[in-house]
């Protein structure tokens, strides 16, 4: 009995001590002096510093690799490409065409417009009383079509009648233009005023902008504003009345169809109303 009572006392003391430790807030919630003396670590700052170090290290490695690659490429270029020594210009030697061209660029550029009063070596006989423009209505080459259209609009703004010779509608005009230029292939459009060759679209635009074209066209009769030929619609061509555009006529003597001699290869003739002269 005495031993059992002693064991009960020991167990009761142990339970009371453990309950007091659980209920003691200062023991459970607050750290001891030894624990408080230790520095607290900021794990978030450590993680950021480590990630930034990794990023800068990777960037440095990429830059180093690119620099080494550039150095290797430069070495290969030095091996295969000859060294170019700076060229010395001797003032006593005659100028080369390239040097002459570079020196001329420093001087003021002459206007593109040709002086109309100067006698041109290229002439178109039988057109001393009119304006003749060789052009094309096809859109195969965009720049050529735009230049031809621009020239047509400039002359229509002055309301003067123009003898438009479309080489795409009649191949005879193309041969005629080549004969005028001595068999050379020239760009379109080409403008002739009073039988004298003026130039291409760039020359005509320059003359229009400087006002020289208005002086040259002084004396030509003006048409009514908005005038359009009722027969051809200012196309300058109409279907042939002899063959109705088929290019073939029936020969009663031989009894077979033959080629019409009045129209061109497209079965067209010049408009008798606006191109009679």
């Amino acid at each position: 009995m005495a031993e059992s009572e002693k064991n009960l006392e020991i167990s009761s003391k142990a339970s009371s001590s453990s309950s007091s430790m659980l209920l003691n807030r200062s023991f459970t919630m607050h750290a001891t002096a030894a624990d408080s003396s230790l520095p607290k670590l900021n794990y978030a700052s450590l993680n950021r510093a480590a990630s930034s170090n990794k990023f800068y290290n990777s960037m440095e490695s990429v830059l180093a690799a690119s620099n080494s690659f550039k150095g290797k490429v430069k070495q290969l270029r030095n091996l295969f490409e000859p060294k170019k020594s700076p060229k010395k210009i001797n003032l006593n030697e005659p100028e080369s065409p390239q040097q002459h061209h570079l020196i001329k660029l420093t001087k003021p550029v002459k206007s593109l417009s040709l002086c109309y009063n100067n006698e041109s070596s290229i002439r178109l006989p039988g057109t001393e009383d009119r304006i003749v423009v060789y052009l094309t209505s096809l859109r195969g080459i965009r720049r050529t079509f735009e230049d031809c259209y621009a020239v047509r609009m400039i002359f229509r703004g002055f309301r003067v009648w123009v003898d438009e010779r479309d080489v795409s509608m009649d191949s005879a005009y193309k041969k005629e233009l080549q004969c005028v230029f001595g068999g050379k292939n020239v760009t379109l459009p080409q403008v002739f005023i009073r039988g004298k060759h003026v130039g291409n679209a760039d020359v005509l635009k320059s003359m229009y902008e400087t006002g020289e074209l208005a002086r040259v066209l002084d004396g030509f009769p003006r048409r009514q504003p908005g005038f359009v030929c009722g027969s051809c619609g200012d196309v300058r061509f109409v279907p042939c009345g002899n063959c109705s555009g088929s290019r073939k006529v029936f020969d009663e003597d031989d009894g077979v169809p033959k080629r019409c001699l009045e129209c061109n290869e497209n079965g067209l003739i010049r408009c008798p109303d606006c191109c009679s002269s």
Side-chain angles (χ1 to χ4, degrees):
M1 293 294 291
E3 291 178 1
S4 62
E5 290 176 359
K6 189 175 181 179
N7 294 328
L8 289 173
E9 288 177 1
I10 293 170
S11 63
S12 62
K13 288 179 180 181
S15 62
S16 62
S17 63
S18 62
S19 61
S20 63
M21 289 176 64
L22 292 172
L23 296 174
N24 191 356
R25 294 183 179 178
S26 62
F27 180 80
T28 57
M29 300 298 292
H30 299 283
T32 61
D35 295 335
S36 62
S37 62
L38 295 174
K40 295 181 180 180
L41 297 176
N42 191 351
Y43 294 100
S45 62
L46 290 176
N47 293 332
R48 290 178 183 174
S51 61
S52 62
N53 290 332
K54 290 180 180 180
F55 174 75
Y56 287 118
N57 291 333
S58 62
M59 290 297 295
E60 290 177 356
S61 62
V62 171
L63 291 175
S66 63
N67 291 331
S68 63
F69 179 75
K70 289 180 180 179
K72 291 179 181 179
V73 172
K74 190 174 181 180
Q75 292 177 0
L76 291 174
R77 289 181 62 185
N78 293 332
L79 288 175
F80 291 100
E81 291 183 357
K83 294 183 180 180
K84 296 180 180 179
S85 59
K87 187 177 181 180
K88 297 181 180 180
I89 299 175
N90 190 359
L91 299 177
N92 296 325
E93 295 180 356
E95 296 179 353
S96 63
Q98 295 180 355
Q99 295 176 2
H100 183 72
H101 177 67
L102 293 175
I103 294 172
K104 290 298 182 181
L105 288 178
T106 59
K107 297 181 180 180
V109 181
K110 192 176 181 181
S111 177
L112 290 175
S113 62
L114 299 176
C115 183
Y116 185 74
N117 293 328
N118 293 340
E119 293 295 330
S120 177
S121 60
I122 301 175
R123 295 271 181 169
L124 187 63
T127 60
E128 289 77 11
D129 59 341
R130 68 183 70 181
I131 304 166
V132 180
V133 179
Y134 289 90
L135 48 81
T136 178
S137 59
L138 295 180
R139 299 171 182 258
I141 302 175
R142 183 175 180 179
R143 176 63 185 276
T144 302
F145 174 77
E146 289 177 352
D147 289 342
C148 295
Y149 182 79
V151 169
R152 292 181 68 183
M153 291 300 104
I154 289 174
F155 282 119
R156 288 188 181 185
F158 287 100
R159 293 188 289 110
V160 293
W161 181 81
V162 179
D163 186 1
E164 298 178 359
R165 301 187 177 184
D166 194 342
V167 299
S168 61
M169 301 288 283
D170 195 340
S171 60
Y173 290 145
K174 184 178 181 180
K175 296 177 181 179
E176 181 179 277
L177 183 62
Q178 289 178 349
C179 291
V180 170
F181 283 91
K184 298 179 181 179
N185 292 324
V186 295
T187 59
L188 296 176
Q190 294 295 329
V191 181
F192 293 83
I193 299 178
R194 291 190 174 95
K196 293 189 290 185
H197 179 243
V198 175
N200 56 9
D202 294 334
V203 175
L204 196 73
K205 290 177 184 178
S206 179
M207 293 177 64
Y208 173 72
E209 292 172 358
T210 57
E212 186 178 356
L213 184 62
R215 182 182 61 82
V216 171
L217 297 180
D218 189 18
F220 282 96
R222 299 299 197 267
R223 300 193 300 178
Q224 295 295 328
F227 174 80
V228 178
C229 179
S231 299
C232 64
D234 283 347
V235 180
R236 305 290 186 264
F237 289 94
V238 293
C240 177
N242 188 30
C243 63
S244 300
S246 64
R247 300 189 302 163
K248 293 181 180 180
V249 292
F250 186 78
D251 190 355
E252 296 181 354
D253 297 334
D254 297 337
V256 293
K258 291 185 178 181
R259 173 72 170 85
C260 181
L261 300 177
E262 296 183 7
C263 59
N264 59 14
E265 71 277 7
N266 296 315
L268 303 175
I269 60 173
R270 295 277 283 176
C271 179
D273 293 340
C274 62
C275 302
S276 57
S277 58

